[in-house]
Amino acid sequence: MFEGMTGVDRSLRGAAALVGVADDVSPTGELERTGRELEVAMVLAALDDAGLDLGDVDGVCHAESAMGLAEYLGIAPTFTDSTMTGGSSYEVHLEHAAAAIASGLCNVVISVYASTPRSDRRRQRQVPRRGLAGPNPMVEWEWPFGLRMPMGPYALAASRHMYEFGTTSEQLAQIAVSTRDWAALNPRARYQTPITVDDVLASPLQSSPLHLLDCCLVTDGAGAFVMTSAEMARSLRKPPVYVLGAGTCHDHLMITQMPDLTTTPGAVSGSRAFEAAGITPGDVDVLMGYDSFTITALLHLEDLGFCAKGEGGAFVEDGKLGPGGSLPMNTNGGGLSFTHPGMYGMFLIVEAVRQLRGEAEARQVDRPEIAVAHGSGVVLSCMSTAVLGTEATL
Amino acid sequence: MTAGSDRGARAEAAAGVGAVAGGEGEDKQVEQVEQVKTERTRMEPPVGAESGPFWEATREGTLLVQWCTSCDRGIFYPRFFCPYCATAGPDDSAAGQSGQSGQSGQSGQSDGSTLEWRTASGRAIVHAATVEHNPAATGATFSHGEPYVVALVDLDEGVRMMTNIVGCAPEDVRPGMALTVTWEPLSDGRQLPLFTPAATSA
């Protein structure tokens, strides 16, 4: 498994581990708690999962302000990371935390996310809005044309993929169907009733060629993870989930600037992460691939090398992504059916950890050893890939 | 682009990713668009620090493309700086940043290469297109509630821009379709470049 590749530094391999995870999601799509209260609950739950407490934490990651969170928690970390790359922020946090732990900057790192767009809407809760002030090329060169955000850019990518490779709406729909089949095994999933390809095609067209059921949910949700050194991890409550490799790349912010609408920067982040881990796609037992839209997941399969560029449609047609299939993907039901509070990347990591620990209950894959969490941020803009493994993979 | 503005744009876009996804109707971004909407039929583009000449030319129905004379290719969106070869344009601030003399109007590089504006042919082809079937979800009113086409088009000059394709049934638009530019007046005398299928020649 670990032969024949060169060029990427592998010193991170197995140096750090995920030791605690938590999430809060409800089939109603709404949560009672919100904001900092929800974040703090997730941090404490993830620390408890690890058998650690706040006093052990010396590294903080938060996609808006690690400083604000640390102040609220009353801790003074020596490692701070407020990286915001949209939905892939938490894979980037994981990568940075692994490097920081390996180099001795810190020993115990937390990352947390909470967002409640669904109940905010119902309760008319005032949410601080990030302003449009300042030079933003997107406002000048894209928004005047009625581009629907974020769906429009994904629709354009799907349009081009169909044109270049003959990908069909039926093939995209199969991804939603397989993902829903996983959600049917998850009592916390927002949608648990199985659907068919015809159901997807019969759902209203939004930004063509995407139908309503090609699109992720809008729900409340929250989660957190805790990481520490491999050495410390072995003394904690749960079996460590080791970081075997990680990689990140972004090649545009706005869709007009994407170099190739059918190839994401995941082709770079994925190959770097796989090479650092010393694995090939065939070694992956379970894949968590950010599914903001069905086309998003299809592009991941190609760019990570599970199939050749352009062959994603044919690859997914037989349902191999679903329960019992050869490449279990998004076993919690994904952004399409489980939860999608906005930046879904946290849930990729939480589910990967639970699968590798054997904690995934009815949706548990048979003794997986290697899981991949592949985050996608903004509009196919920033991809970040984490290869995770059990003790047996070291 | 400063680090600060880039960060702001990133944060904004990310917020969009979250809130809008689409599954279920209303979203934050829709509210944002509606807030800036007046009686105008679209959200009109601001004029970026680098794109004044582009928008001024639209008043005469002229489509300009910024051009790097060093690597001999077009640049879009307009910048002070060529992202392909790092040539700086004839602008004080950009020239200053790149260590040049910084005199206004002088070329950005010691070899005479610079960024300049060229008149585009107005011809383009569709690269990718989507028909927006839920105009209410975008706040756009220019289509009067009817589905409309948002496309990425490749100009003959080699740059890609976003536009609407008008003058044909939305469902007839396909990648590869030949287009010519057409103009929609904005409230301040500027015009927005839209595209329409090119007349077929025998």
Side-chain angles (χ1 to χ4, degrees), chain B:
Chain B
M1 178 185 288
T2 65
S5 68
D6 182 43
R7 176 57 191 266
R10 224 179 333 161
E12 173 53 39
V17 166
V20 194
E24 317 198 329
E26 300 297 315
D27 56 60
K28 265 193 248 177
Q29 198 115 14
V30 171
E31 293 163 20
Q32 289 170 346
V33 172
E34 287 179 345
Q35 276 217 335
V36 298
K37 190 173 68 184
T38 64
E39 72 286 0
R40 299 166 184 168
T41 60
R42 1 177 136 240
M43 196 195 82
E44 300 196 346
V47 179
E50 305 91 338
S51 49
F54 177 94
W55 290 113
E56 281 307 302
T58 67
R59 297 175 186 277
E60 311 300 326
T62 300
L63 183 64
L64 295 184
V65 170
Q66 195 183 29
W67 200 265
C68 174
T69 64
S70 176
C71 58
D72 196 30
R73 63 185 290 184
I75 297 169
F76 191 87
Y77 47 89
R79 292 163 165 89
F80 287 128
F81 173 88
C82 173
Y84 307 108
C85 71
T87 287
D91 175 270
D92 286 351
S93 58
Q97 283 168 13
S98 63
Q100 302 300 317
S101 65
Q103 293 175 30
S104 180
Q106 289 219 337
S107 62
Q109 306 290 307
S110 55
D111 66 359
S113 62
T114 189
L115 307 184
E116 62 184 30
W117 291 95
R118 294 189 178 179
T119 301
S121 67
R123 291 188 298 269
I125 63 166
V126 177
H127 183 75
T130 178
V131 180
E132 181 51 59
H133 288 267
N134 191 356
T138 72
T141 56
F142 57 81
S143 73
H144 307 289
E146 295 299 312
Y148 59 87
V149 181
V150 179
L152 290 172
V153 302
D154 292 331
L155 304 193
D156 274 10
E157 290 74 21
V159 301
R160 182 171 300 163
M161 64 187 297
M162 187 169 284
T163 190
N164 298 127
I165 295 172
V166 297
C168 66
E171 58 272 22
D172 289 344
V173 175
R174 293 280 184 279
M177 177 183 277
L179 307 166
T180 55
V181 70
T182 184
W183 297 95
E184 181 182 294
L186 299 173
S187 63
D188 60 359
R190 292 182 296 153
Q191 300 190 88
L192 194 65
L194 307 183
F195 284 80
T196 189
T200 50
S201 54

Side-chain angles (χ1 to χ4, degrees), chain A residues 125-163:
Chain A
R125 202 180 271 138
Q126 290 298 309
V127 181
R129 178 182 290 152
R130 295 190 182 92
L132 297 180
N136 179 345
M138 211 178 298
V139 179
E140 184 174 6
W141 302 108
E142 291 189 341
W143 288 23
F145 303 104
L147 179 69
R148 185 166 171 188
M149 288 297 289
M151 191 188 303
Y154 295 87
L156 290 166
S159 157
R160 190 67 194 178
H161 203 278
M162 289 178 165
Y163 174 73

Side-chain angles (χ1 to χ4, degrees), chain A residues 70-92:
Chain A
E71 177 183 274
Y72 196 92
L73 292 171
I75 59 177
T78 56
F79 172 72
T80 183
D81 186 350
S82 301
T83 300
M84 159 57 97
T85 62
S88 57
S89 298
Y90 306 97
E91 284 68 41
V92 178

Side-chain angles (χ1 to χ4, degrees), chain A residues 94-292:
Chain A
L94 184 157
E95 178 189 31
H96 292 179
I101 290 166
S103 64
L105 295 179
C106 54
N107 196 36
V108 175
V109 180
I110 57 168
S111 173
V112 63
Y113 169 62
S115 176
T116 52
R118 191 176 186 88
S119 57
D120 290 348
R121 209 157 56 197
R122 181 171 57 77
R123 301 173 209 228
Q124 299 184 303
R125 202 180 271 138
Q126 290 298 309
V127 181
R129 178 182 290 152
R130 295 190 182 92
L132 297 180
N136 179 345
M138 211 178 298
V139 179
E140 184 174 6
W141 302 108
E142 291 189 341
W143 288 23
F145 303 104
L147 179 69
R148 185 166 171 188
M149 288 297 289
M151 191 188 303
Y154 295 87
L156 290 166
S159 157
R160 190 67 194 178
H161 203 278
M162 289 178 165
Y163 174 73
E164 287 192 23
F165 305 116
T167 306
T168 66
S169 289
E170 288 79 1
Q171 291 169 332
L172 290 177
Q174 181 59 50
I175 293 174
V177 169
S178 294
T179 307
R180 180 65 63 87
D181 286 344
W182 281 116
L185 302 174
N186 183 355
R188 296 193 305 152
R190 172 74 175 134
Y191 291 129
Q192 300 173 30
T193 307
I195 53 173
T196 65
V197 166
D198 286 343
D199 291 335
V200 179
L201 299 184
S203 66
L205 264 175
Q206 299 296 310
S207 303
S208 73
L210 301 178
H211 296 79
L212 188 65
L213 292 176
D214 286 302
C215 304
C216 63
L217 312 169
V218 177
T219 62
D220 296 358
F225 64 76
V226 182
M227 292 174 60
T228 188
S229 65
E231 182 183 5
M232 183 170 181
R234 294 190 182 100
S235 70
L236 297 179
R237 185 169 287 165
K238 296 280 183 74
V241 169
Y242 296 93
V243 179
L244 303 182
T248 297
C249 183
H250 51 83
D251 66 7
H252 64 283
L253 175 60
M254 57 198 274
I255 198 68
T256 302
Q257 298 288 308
M258 187 171 181
D260 176 349
L261 284 180
T262 64
T263 300
T264 75
V268 175
S269 70
S271 67
R272 288 177 65 86
F274 283 24
E275 194 168 344
I279 68 159
T280 65
D283 298 319
V284 177
D285 298 315
V286 58
L287 171 65
M288 307 304 162
Y290 198 121
D291 55 341
S292 48

Side-chain angles (χ1 to χ4, degrees), chain A residues 17-83:
Chain A
L18 287 146
V19 293
V21 293
D23 65 354
D24 193 2
V25 169
S26 162
T28 65
E30 297 193 4
L31 300 176
E32 284 302 313
R33 295 176 296 195
T34 189
R36 281 276 190 253
E37 181 186 10
L38 186 52
E39 289 182 344
V40 172
M42 291 298 100
V43 168
L44 296 178
L47 286 167
D48 182 63
D49 189 48
L52 293 168
D53 61 40
L54 263 183
D56 298 311
V57 175
D58 59 359
V60 173
C61 305
H62 190 281
E64 286 177 18
S65 174
M67 293 175 70
L69 175 67
E71 177 183 274
Y72 196 92
L73 292 171
I75 59 177
T78 56
F79 172 72
T80 183
D81 186 350
S82 301
T83 300

